[in-house]
Amino acid sequence: IYPAGSNSILYNMETKVQKFIPVTEKCEGITCLAVAPNKRYAAIAERGEKPIASIYDLHTLRKRKSLSPAEAESKDFVCMAFSTDGKYIITQSGAPDWTMYYWTWEKTKLMASVKTANVPGERYGNLMGNVVYQVSFNPNDNTQLCVVGNGIFKLFRYSEGTLKLSLFQKFEAKNFLCHCWTADERVVIGTDDSRILICESNGELKAEIAFSTESPLRSCHSLISFNKGFVAGGAGGTVYVYEREDTAPAAATNSNKARDYSLQDESIKIVNMAISPSEDMLVCTSENNQIYNVLLGSADIKGDAAKLEVFSQPFHHGQITGMDTCIRKPLVATCSADKSVRVWNYMDSSSDLVKYFSEEAYSIAIHPSGLYILVGFSDKLRLMNLLIDDIRPFREFTIRGCRECRFSNGGQYFAAVHGNTIQIYSTWRFENLGNLKGHNGKVRSIHWAPDDTKIVTAGMDGAIYDWALKDMGSGSGAAGGGGGGGGIKREGESILKSCSYSCAVASPDGKSIYAVGSDKTLKEISDSQIIRELESDCVLNQVVLSHSGRMMFVGTATGTIRSMKFPLNNETGEFQEHHCHSGAITKLRVSYDDTHLFSSSEDGCVYVFKIADKEGRGLKKEREVVFADEVCGLFLRVAVLLGQEG
């Protein structure tokens, strides 16, 4: 189970099926997760006006209880832990109060609470004593609790409705980042100066191990125990497995490093780990949002074999800046602030093609054939081939900082934004066929009509223009003034300087344009006049229509997607809202056969939804779409980039 946007994803490793646990309506984000030792229940903490921990049954995915302290000053819980029998849970709030709460969760009863940090401070602060990183139960004693943080190692004892401090650390205070309990009730603690401390349950220090001898020192960020010992992970992308020396008199305090596993990139930090119930597999997460796994039973392996492998598929680890889908293959292409371009196959939910570049990509478009992509970089716009195992540039265009580009539906043209101008090129001859001039601000949206005879553009200057593209091939190809080049004519316009538009689309018949922007309204424009405005309670970033023209979806700045009642016919705008992302929606696309909706966000997630007409109309095409399987590019697979609507 792992968080993705505004959902917690329950992933079945064998069937590769994802199930979704959505957040509550006013949630501002998921802050931490905890799973009961019996794997039956999960606690999901959400940030809000007050911190909330919701307990879910992982078999039915139903919410069992919600825990929220009545007088909390903090807005979130930073860590949680279940007791071994699963009957109790402790939740640790963040700044400014840093209070630990002890609950009997099935009765929604708060048993006790205690402040765990000395002074108010920000999470991950640098001052000693002001931040808590992890709390836990003694696995053999539900009344003993452990707390570690920056300069904090405390053991508490629950008795008669109170939590009493049973000891401070009896050794030098350090920045204690993590801890775990071993099977024989000892506490193992990891520090930011590359030390692992082993203590008795009374706080007495019994042993000290060097997590890493590399220079500079590597911090230990995650610890987890198993029957034979414990596993430590942290900076340097390395995981170390320690096993007890059973021949030693004090077996539990003497641990040998049995083996280690590492990532190919040593700059990545391991931040969390989990072991399967059978203790044969270790899964860990990194600070760049990736999930890795390794078989712990694969002992005594050396060299390249001792590498952590990507679990499921690699994910974006930065804001997704561009997304597009094609007609002839079930592919979605994305680019991100993490400097990567990825192609996903939404039919089998997998990712086969990832390529990193030296700089961030601002926009992306995929050719209808699925064989080529356009990617906008800071210096140039690049046309690339999609090969079996690579993305290879083969043509460059001198368009700097292109923030939006789109292929025509037939694939013979593409449009790219160059500052305030939209440039039209021939895909096959690479010629500039014309320039669309008129915007006084940056252009944020390009939409091609189904027959490629028109383009709708929208910009931050509050202007929406409707361009007719006729006989472009007969034009000189040179840029023209005002209306553009050969055969290009501006047919309609709507200017509202008080609104900075982010997206505009036209209906399949071209009679209406729908636009969203900074003024929190959805506008319908016909014959250059705004004929309908539907107000919203938040900024709307994206709008998309199905190819049939019977479904409309709108993306918001809060990360939700609204399925609008369409056609729009009143002043309020009826819709169903779906919580999926934890950041603003950056792109929305619908598959050519109108069966899937794709959304990308600033949170680095891509969601895949199955969609259908509410009345059950089949959205039948004249011909069923049959995907091509040519391999000039790749028959890529990808996709859960993060989710399908469950």
Side-chain angles (χ1 to χ4, degrees):
I1 183 171
Y2 58 92
S6 290
N7 289 268
S8 296
I9 312 300
L10 192 61
Y11 181 76
N12 188 310
M13 297 167 56
E14 295 181 356
T15 63
K16 297 184 179 180
V17 171
Q18 295 178 342
K19 295 182 179 179
F20 297 82
I21 303 175
V23 297
T24 54
E25 187 174 348
K26 295 183 179 181
C27 169
E28 298 175 10
I30 298 172
T31 57
C32 57
L33 301 172
V35 177
N38 63 8
K39 311 302 180 184
R40 178 65 188 270
Y41 302 105
I44 301 172
E46 301 175 5
R47 182 184 296 110
E49 292 183 5
K50 289 187 177 181
I52 298 176
S54 300
I55 314 295
Y56 289 87
D57 186 319
L58 292 180
H59 292 178
T60 64
L61 301 187
R62 292 181 178 177
K63 184 188 292 187
R64 291 289 303 273
K65 300 291 180 182
S66 289
L67 310 176
S68 182
E71 299 179 356
E73 297 178 47
S74 170
K75 290 189 173 184
D76 57 6
F77 291 129
V78 296
C79 51
M80 303 182 292
F82 278 96
S83 61
T84 303
D85 58 13
K87 294 181 179 179
Y88 305 96
I89 188 172
I90 46 176
T91 59
Q92 171 68 54
S93 68
D97 51 353
W98 295 104
T99 301
M100 180 171 64
Y101 301 91
Y102 186 109
W103 308 83
T104 303
W105 69 264
E106 290 181 320
K107 298 180 181 178
T108 322
K109 182 180 180 182
L110 179 60
M111 307 286 285
S113 63
V114 63
K115 287 190 178 294
T116 51
N118 297 334
V119 295
E122 295 183 1
R123 192 179 180 192
Y124 309 124
N126 294 318
L127 296 176
M128 281 289 195
N130 77 345
V131 58
V132 173
Y133 297 124
Q134 189 180 358
V135 295
S136 68
F137 283 93
N138 181 331
N140 299 316
D141 185 354
N142 291 342
T143 65
Q144 188 176 29
L145 314 177
C146 181
V147 179
V148 298
N150 194 347
I152 298 172
F153 168 50
K154 298 178 181 179
L155 292 172
F156 290 89
R157 178 72 66 176
Y158 174 76
S159 177
E160 298 177 352
T162 60
L163 285 167
K164 297 179 180 179
L165 184 64
S166 57
L167 114 133
F168 284 102
Q169 66 260 23
K170 300 176 181 179
F171 42 86
E172 179 188 358
K174 296 176 180 287
N175 188 3
F176 304 113
L177 301 178
C178 57
H179 75 278
C180 69
W181 292 83
T182 62
D184 46 12
E185 296 189 52
R186 286 178 169 84
V187 184
V188 183
I189 309 168
T191 73
D192 73 343
D193 62 352
S194 199
R195 310 304 294 174
I196 296 176
L197 312 178
I198 301 177
C199 305
E200 297 285 358
S201 59
N202 62 5
E204 181 182 353
L205 180 63
K206 300 296 292 185
E208 187 171 335
I209 304 171
F211 171 68
S212 173
T213 57
E214 302 286 339
S215 181
L217 294 176
R218 295 175 172 178
S219 51
C220 177
H221 285 265
S222 183
L223 287 163
I224 189 168
S225 65
F226 65 111
N227 282 335
K228 295 181 180 180
F230 62 90
V231 184
T238 304
V239 170
Y240 299 103
V241 180
Y242 295 87
E243 294 184 355
R244 290 189 297 271
E245 294 178 335
D246 294 331
T247 56
T253 61
N254 295 283
S255 297
N256 275 342
K257 187 185 294 183
R259 52 195 178 276
D260 60 80
Y261 309 94
S262 61
L263 299 172
Q264 292 184 354
D265 186 351
E266 293 187 356
S267 66
I268 297 175
K269 187 185 301 177
I270 302 296
V271 294
N272 203 354
M273 298 186 297
I275 290 181
S276 63
S278 58
E279 297 189 346
D280 61 345
M281 178 178 285
L282 174 75
V283 178
C284 55
T285 59
S286 63
E287 63 178 347
N288 65 340
N289 299 348
Q290 305 303 307
I291 305 178
Y292 300 93
N293 71 289
V294 68
L295 294 176
L296 291 178
S298 53
D300 302 323
I301 54 179
K302 304 294 182 183
D304 292 339
K307 295 292 184 183
L308 293 166
E309 301 293 335
V310 173
F311 178 81
S312 180
Q313 70 261 329
F315 302 124
H316 278 298
H317 48 93
Q319 172 182 336
I320 295 177
T321 53
M323 179 183 67
D324 198 17
T325 186
C326 66
I327 295 174
R328 294 286 290 151
K329 294 185 179 183
L331 304 181
V332 174
T334 56
C335 62
S336 168
D338 62 14
K339 301 182 180 180
S340 73
V341 171
R342 301 166 193 253
V343 182
W344 315 81
N345 183 307
Y346 57 85
M347 298 302 289
D348 59 11
S349 299
S350 59
S351 169
D352 284 350
L353 201 62
V354 178
K355 180 151 186 175
Y356 282 87
F357 293 87
S358 60
E359 55 187 319
E360 176 184 346
Y362 297 138
S363 60
I364 192 168
I366 185 168
H367 192 269
S369 67
L371 301 178
Y372 318 102
I373 57 172
L374 270 173
V375 184
F377 294 95
S378 60
D379 58 342
K380 290 182 180 179
L381 177 71
R382 292 178 171 87
L383 184 59
M384 307 186 187
N385 275 318
L386 294 182
L387 306 178
I388 284 292
D389 56 359
D390 193 15
I391 300 175
R392 193 169 299 169
F394 71 92
R395 189 77 181 193
E396 295 181 342
F397 302 88
T398 54
I399 299 177
R400 300 172 63 88
C402 177
R403 297 280 178 173
E404 180 71 353
C405 56
R406 296 293 297 271
F407 280 103
S408 63
N409 293 294
Q412 72 276 36
Y413 309 125
F414 67 82
V417 171
H418 192 179
N420 301 345
T421 303
I422 303 95
Q423 296 186 314
I424 311 296
Y425 282 84
S426 166
T427 304
W428 313 124
R429 301 194 306 271
F430 316 125
E431 295 177 359
N432 182 200
L433 303 178
N435 297 333
L436 313 184
K437 297 181 179 180
H439 286 281
N440 294 320
K442 293 181 179 179
V443 180
R444 283 289 179 257
S445 175
I446 300 173
H447 176 82
W448 288 87
D451 60 2
D452 295 338
T453 60
K454 290 186 178 183
I455 284 184
V456 174
T457 62
M460 299 181 68
D461 56 353
I464 295 175
Y465 295 131
D466 187 2
W467 310 84
L469 313 179
K470 298 178 181 178
D471 303 321
M472 282 197 299
S474 65
S476 64
I488 298 177
K489 179 183 178 183
R490 189 194 305 167
E491 287 194 336
E493 63 180 49
S494 174
I495 300 176
L496 184 65
K497 293 185 177 180
S498 61
C499 178
S500 177
Y501 287 113
S502 56
C503 186
V505 297
S507 59
D509 60 11
K511 294 181 179 179
S512 298
I513 296 173
Y514 302 92
V516 294
S518 59
D519 64 353
K520 300 183 179 181
T521 64
L522 169 61
K523 297 178 178 63
E524 181 177 352
I525 301 168
S526 182
D527 295 328
S528 299
Q529 300 296 317
I530 298 174
I531 62 172
R532 184 174 286 106
E533 286 189 84
L534 304 181
E535 295 186 358
S536 171
D537 57 351
C538 62
V539 173
L540 307 177
N541 288 350
Q542 289 286 303
V543 59
V544 67
L545 280 171
S546 64
H547 296 85
S548 67
R550 294 207 294 262
M551 294 183 288
M552 174 184 281
F553 303 94
V554 175
T556 72
T558 59
T560 62
I561 295 176
R562 296 176 177 181
S563 176
M564 306 297 296
K565 186 175 181 180
F566 194 77
L568 306 176
N569 55 12
N570 54 48
E571 297 302 320
T572 58
E574 297 179 31
F575 59 84
Q576 290 183 344
E577 191 163 46
H578 302 270
H579 292 266
C580 45
H581 295 282
S582 57
I585 304 290
T586 56
K587 295 293 179 185
L588 286 178
R589 294 286 186 266
V590 173
S591 62
Y592 182 69
D593 60 0
D594 286 348
T595 59
H596 292 81
L597 170 70
F598 313 100
S599 65
S600 64
S601 168
E602 293 179 358
D603 64 9
C605 297
V606 173
Y607 270 78
V608 183
F609 295 88
K610 288 184 178 178
I611 58 176
D613 197 321
K614 187 175 181 180
E615 277 71 35
R617 294 182 297 232
L619 303 181
K620 293 181 181 178
K621 301 285 183 181
E622 293 182 6
R623 294 182 182 178
E624 184 180 354
V625 174
V626 178
F627 292 120
D629 57 2
E630 303 106 15
V631 188
C632 156
L634 63 191
F635 196 71
L636 288 207
R637 306 179 307 195
V638 217
V640 173
L641 281 214
L642 275 131
Q644 298 156 314
E645 187 178 41

